[in-house]
Amino acid sequence: METFFRIDWSAVTPEVVKGLSEGTMRMSSANGVAYWARGSGNTGAVQHLPFIPANMPDAGNLMDAAKIIQAAQQAQLVALGISTGVIVGAIVIQTMYLARKLDKLQKTIDLVSEEIHAQNIVFYMNKVADYFGSVESARIFMLDRSLKDEVKDIAVPVLADLAIRRNQLFSFIENILELAKTDTLSQRHYELIVDFVSMALDMLPKGAFVEKELYAFIEKYGLSDLLIEHAGNRYVGLMATYKGWCNDQVKLAVKGNKLSGSILSRDRELKSLFSSGENKLLISGV
């Protein structure tokens, strides 16, 4: 069982709890700092919050694990609504959760690259792998808060590179969905693309959240909020596009289109993706 550090809400000032509840303050899961939110009229850190160790339960998914941990701190009723998101964020940043997800995504990327030999597909698959590999590197930078000053020296170019790669990923997903609508694909390639897009869309909020946290880690709080707002809006739009695409494919499948028919076997995974509570929390900046 992994150990991570969660915030000791009993030591959080009423002012901070009120600010977080009203949205005038935000919390960094990486360094435990409450800071003034962009647009609040104030800037900078408000309170450095103490951490206490907690075990990550062996739950079925991230939200279930966060709820189990949250239930153990019922004395802080006022903070409960806030702490769900903070716990989810802490698990993503501090544990091997993200690394394990990346291993699964990399296998999907390798499969698509091996099976679909189109030059542009292989090129962008490498870009996708590079983005999430850089996300994992950025996460590791935040594991030791005593190294914050050293991380400051290298974080800015890393964050600029991550932003470029993330935007390429958004564009690539839109383009590959167009490709999947054509009749040039085999059934196998169609299924690989659906699986890849679903997995990449599940990972994108985690990647954007790590970027947001790295900005907060180096005390660039305004940029931290700006990034997650921009990435969040674009993610919501892309999810709406994908949901519409899936609905169209289901309609075609019902009419007997064999290529689209395989999407019906992914109904459970797609519903889980579209209703993901953890992704909604992370992309909102918790």
Side-chain angles (χ1 to χ4, degrees):
M1 182 175 288
E2 288 183 270
T3 299
F4 74 104
F5 292 87
R6 66 172 177 81
I7 289 167
D8 180 5
W9 287 100
S10 65
V12 179
T13 68
E15 178 197 14
V16 168
V17 172
K18 183 172 182 289
L20 293 171
S21 301
E22 294 176 350
T24 56
M25 296 180 195
R26 284 185 180 273
M27 179 75 70
S28 167
S29 296
N31 58 11
V33 170
Y35 62 90
W36 289 107
R38 198 170 77 93
S40 67
N42 299 287
T43 58
V46 181
Q47 185 184 4
H48 291 260
L49 308 177
F51 281 102
I52 53 177
N55 290 327
M56 181 175 169
D58 186 18
N61 59 49
L62 186 53
M63 284 298 287
D64 288 342
K67 287 175 182 175
I68 291 171
I69 296 166
Q70 187 187 47
Q73 52 183 23
Q74 291 180 352
Q76 292 80 43
L77 291 176
V78 176
L80 281 178
I82 303 164
S83 63
T84 306
V86 176
I87 293 169
V88 167
I91 293 172
V92 169
I93 296 295
Q94 298 177 21
T95 73
M96 291 295 291
Y97 167 84
L98 189 58
R100 286 190 286 268
K101 293 278 251 182
L102 288 176
D103 285 342
K104 293 181 181 177
L105 178 65
Q106 185 61 55
K107 289 176 183 174
T108 304
I109 289 172
D110 291 344
L111 266 178
V112 174
S113 298
E114 288 170 10
E115 299 241 359
I116 305 177
H117 300 295
Q119 189 173 4
N120 61 331
I121 295 292
V122 174
F123 175 78
Y124 278 106
M125 281 296 165
N126 288 333
K127 296 277 188 185
V128 173
D130 288 346
Y131 170 69
F132 284 111
S134 297
V135 164
E136 174 62 4
S137 296
R139 184 189 72 82
I140 291 171
F141 291 157
M142 294 181 278
L143 293 181
D144 187 343
R145 288 184 290 279
S146 69
L147 300 178
K148 183 173 67 177
D149 288 340
E150 294 183 35
V151 172
K152 280 182 178 178
D153 292 337
I154 58 174
V156 172
V158 168
L159 284 163
D161 182 63
L162 281 168
I164 292 170
R165 295 182 189 279
R166 172 170 36 81
N167 285 315
Q168 286 175 332
L169 177 54
F170 275 117
S171 299
F172 177 53
I173 289 176
E174 291 169 346
N175 291 336
I176 203 169
L177 287 176
E178 288 299 314
L179 172 66
K181 287 194 294 189
T182 68
D183 294 330
T184 59
L185 288 179
S186 68
Q187 193 79 26
R188 168 72 171 163
H189 291 172
Y190 175 93
E191 292 170 359
L192 283 174
I193 288 175
V194 171
D195 290 342
F196 161 74
V197 170
S198 296
M199 202 169 292
L201 285 173
D202 182 51
M203 289 298 296
L204 255 171
K206 283 86 170 177
F209 181 78
V210 170
E211 291 184 64
K212 172 253 181 194
E213 283 293 301
L214 186 54
Y215 270 118
F217 194 75
I218 60 173
E219 300 176 355
K220 295 187 179 299
Y221 302 117
L223 287 173
S224 175
D225 285 358
L226 180 63
L227 181 146
I228 207 67
E229 288 169 17
H230 174 78
N233 289 335
R234 192 159 185 195
Y235 180 75
V236 169
L238 185 53
M239 283 292 283
T241 299
Y242 187 45
K243 193 171 185 178
W245 184 90
C246 290
N247 287 335
D248 290 342
Q249 295 300 300
V250 170
K251 291 175 184 173
L252 289 171
V254 171
K255 291 178 181 176
N257 185 298
K258 291 183 179 179
L259 188 64
S260 304
S262 54
I263 201 168
L264 298 176
S265 65
R266 280 139 175 92
D267 184 63
R268 182 177 175 184
E269 291 83 357
L270 290 169
K271 284 181 177 174
S272 176
L273 172 67
F274 293 132
S275 63
S276 171
E278 65 191 47
N279 285 341
K280 288 175 183 171
L281 278 173
L282 292 171
I283 210 67
S284 71
V286 290

